[in-house]
Amino acid sequence: MAKLQKAMKPRAWQRMLSGRRLDLLDPSPFDVEIEDIAHGLARVARWNGQTYGDHAFSVAQHCMLVEDCVAQLKPGVAHRWRLAALLHDAPEYVVGDLISPFKAAVGLDYKSLENKLLAAIHLRFGLPAILPEETTALIKRADKVSAFFEATQLAGFATDEALSFFGSPRGVPPMKLKPLPAADAQREFVERFKTLLPSTQNH
C-alpha cells in the first residue's frame, strides 16, 4: 500500500534543459544551473507581457537592471551582493512572474516556495541562504527604482501614478530601457553572471 501511495504521489519536480530535475518543494543547490536560470528568465515576461515593443521585457533584463541600480545606489558595494541582486528573482525561472497584487492574493505558501528556491540558488553560487537585512533592503530599493523605470517607459504608467506605487528613483540616473529578444537577454544575463561570480570570493 505504501509503495502504491508513493507511486501515485504527484510529480513535484521540473525537468530542466540541462537534464537536472529540480524538486520544487525541496530544491537542492546541486540541481541549480545558471544556464537553466538564464534560459527561463529570458522567456518570462515582466508585467504579464503588457509592455510596449516588439519583444517582452523579460525577468532576465529586469534582474540586470536591478543589479545596475544596486551598483548606482551604493558605489563600491561588494560583488557578492551585486550577484545577489542579479539573482533576486531567479526562482521565477521555474515558478514564473506573478504580478504583486496576485502574489498577495495567493498568500504565504507561494512566498515560502519562492524563498526555498532562492535559498537553494544562493547556496549553489556561494551566497548565504538568507541575505543580510541591509543587503535585502538595498535590493528592494533597487527593485522599486527598476519598477518605476519599467512602469513609465514600457508599461503605460503615468509618472504620478508610478511615483505613488514605487516612489521616486532617487540616486539613480535615468535609464533608457529597450526590450531584447529572449536569446540576447539570455546571453547577456550569463555574461553578467560570469563577471560577478569570480569576484565573490574576494569581495
Side-chain angles (χ1 to χ4, degrees), residues 6 9 13 33 39 43 46 63 73 86 97 100 111 120-122 131 133 152-153 156-157 168 180 188 193 198:
K6 184 176 181 181
K9 186 178 179 181
W13 52 264
E33 300 291 349
H39 184 93
R43 289 158 178 78
R46 289 276 290 169
C63 287
L73 290 168
L86 183 69
D97 180 26
S100 296
K111 194 62 182 175
I121 291 164
H122 282 172
L131 300 177
E133 290 184 8
T152 53
Q153 294 184 37
F157 282 61
S168 174
L180 296 173
E188 290 191 14
F193 170 84

CSV table of all heavy atoms in Angstrom, one decimal, residues 6 9 13 33 39 43 46 63 73 86 97 100 111 120-122 131 133 152-153 156-157 168 180 188 193 198:
chain,number,residue,atom,x,y,z
A,6,LYS,N,3.2,5.9,-2.8
A,6,LYS,CA,4.4,6.6,-3.2
A,6,LYS,C,4.4,6.8,-4.8
A,6,LYS,O,4.7,7.8,-5.3
A,6,LYS,CB,5.6,5.9,-2.8
A,6,LYS,CG,7.0,6.6,-3.2
A,6,LYS,CD,8.1,5.8,-2.6
A,6,LYS,CE,9.4,6.5,-2.9
A,6,LYS,NZ,10.6,5.8,-2.4
A,9,LYS,N,2.0,9.6,-5.9
A,9,LYS,CA,2.3,10.9,-5.4
A,9,LYS,C,2.6,11.9,-6.6
A,9,LYS,O,3.3,11.6,-7.5
A,9,LYS,CB,3.6,10.9,-4.5
A,9,LYS,CG,3.9,12.2,-3.8
A,9,LYS,CD,5.2,12.1,-3.0
A,9,LYS,CE,5.5,13.4,-2.3
A,9,LYS,NZ,6.7,13.3,-1.5
A,13,TRP,N,8.7,17.8,-9.4
A,13,TRP,CA,10.0,18.3,-9.9
A,13,TRP,C,9.8,18.8,-11.4
A,13,TRP,O,8.9,18.4,-12.1
A,13,TRP,CB,11.0,17.2,-9.9
A,13,TRP,CG,10.6,15.9,-10.5
A,13,TRP,CD1,10.1,14.8,-9.9
A,13,TRP,CD2,10.7,15.5,-11.9
A,13,TRP,NE1,9.9,13.8,-10.7
A,13,TRP,CE2,10.2,14.2,-12.0
A,13,TRP,CE3,11.1,16.2,-13.1
A,13,TRP,CZ2,10.1,13.5,-13.2
A,13,TRP,CZ3,11.0,15.5,-14.3
A,13,TRP,CH2,10.6,14.2,-14.3
A,33,GLU,N,21.4,25.2,-12.1
A,33,GLU,CA,22.4,25.6,-13.1
A,33,GLU,C,22.1,27.0,-13.7
A,33,GLU,O,21.0,27.3,-13.9
A,33,GLU,CB,22.5,24.6,-14.3
A,33,GLU,CG,22.8,23.1,-13.9
A,33,GLU,CD,24.2,23.0,-13.4
A,33,GLU,OE1,25.0,23.9,-13.6
A,33,GLU,OE2,24.5,21.9,-12.8
A,39,HIS,N,18.0,30.8,-19.2
A,39,HIS,CA,17.1,30.4,-20.3
A,39,HIS,C,15.7,30.7,-19.8
A,39,HIS,O,14.9,31.2,-20.6
A,39,HIS,CB,17.3,28.9,-20.6
A,39,HIS,CG,16.4,28.4,-21.7
A,39,HIS,ND1,16.9,28.4,-23.0
A,39,HIS,CD2,15.1,28.0,-21.7
A,39,HIS,CE1,15.9,27.9,-23.8
A,39,HIS,NE2,14.8,27.7,-23.0
A,43,ARG,N,12.7,34.1,-20.9
A,43,ARG,CA,11.5,33.8,-21.5
A,43,ARG,C,10.2,34.1,-20.6
A,43,ARG,O,9.1,33.7,-21.0
A,43,ARG,CB,11.5,32.4,-22.0
A,43,ARG,CG,12.4,32.2,-23.2
A,43,ARG,CD,12.9,30.8,-23.4
A,43,ARG,NE,13.8,30.7,-24.6
A,43,ARG,CZ,15.1,31.1,-24.6
A,43,ARG,NH1,15.6,31.6,-23.5
A,43,ARG,NH2,15.8,31.0,-25.7
A,46,ARG,N,7.9,40.3,-17.8
A,46,ARG,CA,7.5,41.2,-16.8
A,46,ARG,C,6.2,41.8,-17.1
A,46,ARG,O,5.8,41.9,-18.3
A,46,ARG,CB,8.6,42.4,-16.6
A,46,ARG,CG,9.9,41.9,-16.0
A,46,ARG,CD,9.8,41.9,-14.5
A,46,ARG,NE,9.8,43.3,-13.9
A,46,ARG,CZ,9.5,43.5,-12.6
A,46,ARG,NH1,9.2,42.6,-11.8
A,46,ARG,NH2,9.5,44.8,-12.2
A,63,CYS,N,16.3,41.7,-13.9
A,63,CYS,CA,17.3,41.4,-12.9
A,63,CYS,C,18.7,42.1,-13.2
A,63,CYS,O,19.3,42.6,-12.2
A,63,CYS,CB,17.6,39.9,-12.9
A,63,CYS,SG,16.2,38.9,-12.2
A,73,LEU,N,23.2,52.8,-6.6
A,73,LEU,CA,22.8,53.3,-5.3
A,73,LEU,C,23.9,53.2,-4.2
A,73,LEU,O,23.9,54.0,-3.3
A,73,LEU,CB,21.5,52.5,-4.8
A,73,LEU,CG,20.3,52.8,-5.6
A,73,LEU,CD1,19.2,51.7,-5.3
A,73,LEU,CD2,19.7,54.2,-5.3
A,86,LEU,N,21.4,40.3,-8.9
A,86,LEU,CA,21.2,39.7,-10.2
A,86,LEU,C,20.3,38.5,-10.1
A,86,LEU,O,19.5,38.2,-11.0
A,86,LEU,CB,22.5,39.3,-10.9
A,86,LEU,CG,22.4,38.7,-12.3
A,86,LEU,CD1,22.0,39.8,-13.3
A,86,LEU,CD2,23.8,38.1,-12.7
A,97,ASP,N,6.5,34.7,-13.2
A,97,ASP,CA,6.5,36.0,-12.6
A,97,ASP,C,5.0,36.4,-12.4
A,97,ASP,O,4.3,36.8,-13.3
A,97,ASP,CB,7.2,37.1,-13.5
A,97,ASP,CG,7.1,38.5,-12.9
A,97,ASP,OD1,7.1,38.6,-11.7
A,97,ASP,OD2,7.2,39.4,-13.6
A,100,SER,N,2.5,41.6,-8.4
A,100,SER,CA,2.4,41.7,-6.9
A,100,SER,C,1.0,41.6,-6.4
A,100,SER,O,0.8,40.9,-5.4
A,100,SER,CB,3.0,43.1,-6.5
A,100,SER,OG,4.4,43.1,-6.8
A,111,LYS,N,5.0,32.5,-1.3
A,111,LYS,CA,6.2,33.1,-0.9
A,111,LYS,C,7.2,32.1,-0.3
A,111,LYS,O,8.4,32.2,-0.5
A,111,LYS,CB,5.9,34.3,0.1
A,111,LYS,CG,7.1,35.2,0.3
A,111,LYS,CD,7.4,35.9,-1.0
A,111,LYS,CE,8.6,36.9,-0.8
A,111,LYS,NZ,9.1,37.5,-2.1
A,120,ALA,N,18.2,27.9,-2.2
A,120,ALA,CA,19.0,26.9,-2.9
A,120,ALA,C,19.9,27.5,-4.0
A,120,ALA,O,21.0,27.1,-4.1
A,120,ALA,CB,18.1,25.8,-3.5
A,121,ILE,N,19.3,28.5,-4.6
A,121,ILE,CA,20.1,29.2,-5.7
A,121,ILE,C,21.3,30.0,-5.0
A,121,ILE,O,22.4,29.9,-5.5
A,121,ILE,CB,19.2,30.2,-6.4
A,121,ILE,CG1,18.2,29.4,-7.3
A,121,ILE,CG2,20.0,31.2,-7.3
A,121,ILE,CD1,17.0,30.2,-7.8
A,122,HIS,N,21.0,30.6,-3.9
A,122,HIS,CA,22.1,31.3,-3.2
A,122,HIS,C,23.2,30.4,-2.8
A,122,HIS,O,24.4,30.6,-3.1
A,122,HIS,CB,21.6,32.0,-1.9
A,122,HIS,CG,20.8,33.3,-2.2
A,122,HIS,ND1,20.1,33.9,-1.2
A,122,HIS,CD2,20.7,34.0,-3.3
A,122,HIS,CE1,19.6,35.0,-1.7
A,122,HIS,NE2,19.9,35.1,-3.0
A,131,LEU,N,20.1,36.5,3.0
A,131,LEU,CA,21.0,37.7,2.9
A,131,LEU,C,20.9,38.6,4.1
A,131,LEU,O,19.9,38.6,4.9
A,131,LEU,CB,20.6,38.5,1.7
A,131,LEU,CG,20.6,37.8,0.3
A,131,LEU,CD1,20.1,38.8,-0.8
A,131,LEU,CD2,22.0,37.3,0.0
A,133,GLU,N,20.1,41.8,6.3
A,133,GLU,CA,19.0,42.7,6.2
A,133,GLU,C,19.3,43.9,5.4
A,133,GLU,O,18.5,44.4,4.6
A,133,GLU,CB,18.5,43.1,7.6
A,133,GLU,CG,17.8,41.9,8.3
A,133,GLU,CD,17.2,42.4,9.6
A,133,GLU,OE1,17.2,43.6,9.9
A,133,GLU,OE2,16.8,41.5,10.4
A,152,THR,N,7.0,53.4,-16.3
A,152,THR,CA,6.8,54.7,-17.0
A,152,THR,C,7.3,54.5,-18.5
A,152,THR,O,6.7,55.2,-19.4
A,152,THR,CB,7.6,55.8,-16.4
A,152,THR,OG1,8.9,55.5,-16.2
A,152,THR,CG2,6.9,56.2,-15.0
A,153,GLN,N,8.3,53.7,-18.8
A,153,GLN,CA,8.8,53.6,-20.1
A,153,GLN,C,8.1,52.5,-21.0
A,153,GLN,O,8.0,52.6,-22.2
A,153,GLN,CB,10.3,53.4,-20.1
A,153,GLN,CG,11.1,54.5,-19.6
A,153,GLN,CD,12.6,54.3,-19.7
A,153,GLN,OE1,13.1,53.7,-20.6
A,153,GLN,NE2,13.3,54.7,-18.7
A,156,GLY,N,3.1,51.7,-19.6
A,156,GLY,CA,2.0,52.7,-19.8
A,156,GLY,C,1.5,53.4,-18.6
A,156,GLY,O,0.5,54.1,-18.6
A,157,PHE,N,2.3,53.4,-17.5
A,157,PHE,CA,2.0,54.2,-16.3
A,157,PHE,C,2.3,55.7,-16.5
A,157,PHE,O,3.4,56.0,-17.0
A,157,PHE,CB,2.8,53.7,-15.1
A,157,PHE,CG,2.3,52.4,-14.5
A,157,PHE,CD1,2.2,51.3,-15.2
A,157,PHE,CD2,1.9,52.4,-13.1
A,157,PHE,CE1,1.8,50.1,-14.6
A,157,PHE,CE2,1.5,51.2,-12.5
A,157,PHE,CZ,1.4,50.1,-13.3
A,168,SER,N,10.1,57.7,-5.8
A,168,SER,CA,11.0,58.4,-6.7
A,168,SER,C,12.3,57.6,-6.8
A,168,SER,O,12.8,57.1,-5.9
A,168,SER,CB,11.3,59.8,-6.1
A,168,SER,OG,12.3,60.4,-6.9
A,180,LEU,N,14.7,43.2,-25.2
A,180,LEU,CA,15.6,42.4,-26.0
A,180,LEU,C,14.9,41.1,-26.4
A,180,LEU,O,14.1,40.6,-25.7
A,180,LEU,CB,16.9,42.1,-25.3
A,180,LEU,CG,17.8,43.3,-24.9
A,180,LEU,CD1,19.0,42.7,-24.1
A,180,LEU,CD2,18.3,44.0,-26.2
A,188,GLU,N,23.2,37.9,-22.4
A,188,GLU,CA,23.7,39.0,-21.5
A,188,GLU,C,23.6,38.7,-20.1
A,188,GLU,O,24.5,39.0,-19.3
A,188,GLU,CB,22.9,40.3,-21.9
A,188,GLU,CG,23.2,40.9,-23.2
A,188,GLU,CD,22.7,42.3,-23.4
A,188,GLU,OE1,22.3,42.9,-22.4
A,188,GLU,OE2,22.6,42.7,-24.6
A,193,PHE,N,26.5,37.4,-15.1
A,193,PHE,CA,26.8,36.5,-14.0
A,193,PHE,C,28.3,36.1,-14.0
A,193,PHE,O,28.9,36.1,-12.9
A,193,PHE,CB,25.9,35.2,-14.2
A,193,PHE,CG,26.3,34.1,-13.3
A,193,PHE,CD1,25.7,34.0,-12.1
A,193,PHE,CD2,27.1,33.1,-13.7
A,193,PHE,CE1,26.0,32.9,-11.2
A,193,PHE,CE2,27.5,32.0,-12.9
A,193,PHE,CZ,26.9,31.9,-11.6
A,198,PRO,N,33.3,35.3,-10.3
A,198,PRO,CA,34.7,35.1,-9.9
A,198,PRO,C,35.1,36.1,-8.8
A,198,PRO,O,36.1,35.8,-8.1
A,198,PRO,CB,35.5,35.4,-11.2
A,198,PRO,CG,34.5,35.2,-12.2
A,198,PRO,CD,33.2,35.6,-11.7
